[in-house]
Amino acid sequence: MGIVDFFRARRSHRRDSASVAKERLQIIVSHERAEQGGPDYLPMLRQELLEVVRRYVTVDPDAVRVDVERDDSHEVLELNITLPEQQDRA
Amino acid sequence: MSRIVVITSGKGGVGKTTTAASLAAGLARAGFKVAVVDFDVGLRNLDLVMGCERRVVFDFVNVINGDARLNQALIKDKRLGNLAILPASQTRDKEALTEAGVEQVIGELREQFDYIVCDSPAGIERGSHLAAYHADDAVVVTNPEVSSVRDSDRVLGLLASRTRRAERGDAPVQEHLLLTRYDPQRVKKGDMLSVEDVQDILAVSLLGVIPESEVVLNASNAGVPVILEESTDAGQAYDDAVARYLGEQRPHRFLQTERKGLLGRMFGG
C-alpha cells in the first residue's frame, strides 16, 4: 500500500459515521414523508378498498396495501391486493 | 403589517430559546419594534436567557385569562427600547393556552409590533402547534445530528399542513433552516453531518450556521442574547442570520476549520 492509499483509506474510514448518518436519515425521512404527506385519507382508502374487494373475494384484512412513492416530479400511488390461492366466491 | 415568526425544532435542547432571543434582539437593533413570546407553558426560560427573570410580574396566561392587560405583562428590554418580552406561565395546566386566547393576544401584539417572535416549546404537542399556528415565517433550528434532523423534517411537514396559512390555502409559511452547534473540525473528520448533508435531507433554504461556541453558554449564563456579544463568532453568525432574514445577501462564515499558523499550532493559540 502506497502512502497515498494509506491516507485515503484512513480518510474514508473516518468519513464513515457522518455518511452513514446521512444515508440512514435519507431513508427514514423519505419514508416518513410518504406516510405523512399522502396522509389522512390513506387508511380510509385502504379500508374502503378492502370492503369492495371483500364483496367478491374473501381476503385477509392485511391483503390490501396502499403506498405512496414520491419522486421529485411525481407521486405514485401503489396498490397491492393479495388474493388467496383458491378464490371462494362470496 | 407585522410579521410573525416561529422558532421551532421538534427536538429539545437544540437552541430554540437562544435563537429566539438573538433574532428578537437583532431585529430590534435593526430598528424594528419586536415582541418575543415564550410559548413553553410550565417551563419558562426565555426570561432567563434574556436576563429579565426578576422583572416578571404577569405572564401570557394571565393576559389570556384577563387577569392582566397585555401591556402589564410585556417586559421592556433594558438594552433595546423597542424590544419586549412576553413570558410564559409557570402553571402546570397544559390547557392554559387556548386557541382563542392565543389568537386574541397575537392580534393585540400585531397592533404594536413589527415582528412577533414566537419561541416554541419542544415536541409536536399543543404548545408547539399554538406557537406555529399563526406564523408567516418559521426558523427551524437544527443540530447536525440524526435525531434533530429527523425531528426537523417532521416539524417542516406540520408547518406545511397544520398552520393557519395551510388551512386557509394562503401562501405557505416561509421556512428557514438554522444549523446550530456546528463544529467544522468534526465535519472535516467525518464525524458530523455537514451543512450540505443537512440541506440535502431537509431541502430548506439556509438562514445561517451558528458554530459550536462557549460564548453561547457564557451569554445565557449572563442573561444576554448572544447576538449582542458582537465580537464573538456565534454573535456574528447570528447577526448574519438576522441580516439574511431581512433580505440581505451575506456569505456564510465559520464553516471551515480555522487555519492556524505554525505558531498558533505550536502554542495552541
Side-chain angles (χ1 to χ4, degrees), chain A residues 8-36:
Chain A
R8 208 173 273 157
R10 225 170 96 100
R11 225 190 118 164
S12 68
H13 175 70
R14 282 182 155 195
R15 278 228 158 272
D16 270 359
S17 94
S19 51
V20 168
K22 184 181 183 184
E23 214 178 290
R24 291 174 58 220
L25 273 169
Q26 277 173 325
I27 293 166
I28 190 66
V29 158
S30 79
H31 237 259
E32 288 179 341
R33 275 184 202 160
E35 275 173 22
Q36 192 192 324

Side-chain angles (χ1 to χ4, degrees), chain A residues 14-19 21-22 24-26 28-29 32-33 36 40, chain B residues 146 149-150 153-154 157-158 162 189-193 197 200-202:
Chain A
R14 282 182 155 195
R15 278 228 158 272
D16 270 359
S17 94
S19 51
K22 184 181 183 184
R24 291 174 58 220
L25 273 169
Q26 277 173 325
I28 190 66
V29 158
E32 288 179 341
R33 275 184 202 160
Q36 192 192 324
D40 300 348
Chain B
V146 284
V149 175
R150 181 197 205 171
D153 192 70
R154 284 283 285 156
L158 295 174
R162 298 285 153 85
K189 276 197 217 157
D191 296 341
M192 183 180 269
L193 291 164
D197 290 339
D200 276 356
I201 293 159
L202 296 179

Side-chain angles (χ1 to χ4, degrees), chain B residues 52 55 73-85:
Chain B
C52 64
R55 292 196 289 143
L74 285 172
I75 304 168
K76 267 200 163 190
D77 187 82
K78 285 203 164 157
R79 295 151 296 219
L80 297 155
N82 43 350
L83 173 60
I85 299 115

Side-chain angles (χ1 to χ4, degrees), chain B:
Chain B
M1 190 62 194
S2 43
R3 257 190 115 70
I4 300 179
V5 48
V6 63
I7 314 299
T8 183
S9 71
K11 190 173 186 299
V14 297
K16 279 184 298 296
T17 300
T18 299
T19 299
S22 279
L23 177 64
L27 290 169
R29 198 171 57 184
F32 295 101
K33 284 187 252 169
V34 183
V36 56
V37 183
D38 190 346
F39 274 79
D40 205 345
V41 171
L43 296 169
R44 167 161 85 208
N45 274 318
L46 182 67
D47 55 339
L48 268 180
V49 174
M50 297 289 296
C52 64
E53 68 279 5
R54 300 192 50 190
R55 292 196 289 143
V56 175
V57 182
F58 296 111
D59 61 52
F60 200 167
V61 170
N62 292 143
V63 178
I64 287 178
N65 293 340
D67 302 331
R69 280 177 290 109
L70 177 61
N71 283 328
Q72 291 177 296
L74 285 172
I75 304 168
K76 267 200 163 190
D77 187 82
K78 285 203 164 157
R79 295 151 296 219
L80 297 155
N82 43 350
L83 173 60
I85 299 115
L86 181 57
S89 165
Q90 284 291 46
T91 176
R92 285 178 1 200
D93 177 11
K94 281 190 177 169
E95 309 294 305
L97 280 189
T98 58
E99 273 173 42
V102 171
E103 182 160 357
Q104 172 221 322
V105 172
I106 294 270
E108 280 184 59
L109 287 167
R110 274 182 191 277
E111 292 167 17
Q112 300 183 41
F113 295 97
D114 302 315
Y115 285 97
I116 300 155
V117 178
C118 301
D119 183 19
S120 172
I124 52 172
E125 311 287 313
R126 180 191 186 83
S128 58
H129 171 68
L130 288 173
Y133 186 72
H134 296 275
D136 301 303
D137 304 315
V139 175
V140 179
V141 182
T142 307
N143 290 168
E145 172 269 328
V146 284
S147 50
S148 175
V149 175
R150 181 197 205 171
D151 289 0
S152 293
D153 192 70
R154 284 283 285 156
V155 161
L156 286 164
L158 295 174
L159 287 169
S161 61
R162 298 285 153 85
T163 51
R164 192 184 48 136
R165 280 177 173 271
E167 284 178 6
R168 292 188 179 179
D170 294 344
V173 176
Q174 290 261 320
E175 298 159 343
H176 304 275
L177 172 67
L178 188 78
L179 202 56
T180 56
R181 309 201 67 166
Y182 196 71
D183 185 339
Q185 221 158 355
R186 303 195 68 188
V187 171
K188 199 177 173 197
K189 276 197 217 157
D191 296 341
M192 183 180 269
L193 291 164
S194 69
V195 192
E196 294 79 14
D197 290 339
V198 178
Q199 274 188 288
D200 276 356
I201 293 159
L202 296 179
V204 177
S205 81
L206 182 67
L207 188 65
V209 179
I210 312 299
E212 170 82 71
S213 168
E214 59 199 32
V215 176
V216 176
L217 183 59
N218 292 340
S220 72
N221 286 345
V224 178
V226 68
I227 196 171
L228 300 181
E229 304 285 5
E230 294 169 26
S231 61
T232 65
D233 52 358
Q236 289 171 13
Y238 269 116
D239 185 58
D240 286 352
V242 172
R244 287 189 204 104
Y245 176 73
L246 291 171
E248 205 179 304
Q249 300 277 334
R250 286 199 190 176
H252 291 278
R253 297 190 274 171
F254 316 111
L255 301 185
Q256 308 299 328
T257 49
E258 276 176 55
R259 271 182 227 143
K260 283 184 182 169
L262 183 61
L263 282 177
R265 262 184 249 175
M266 283 170 71
F267 298 109

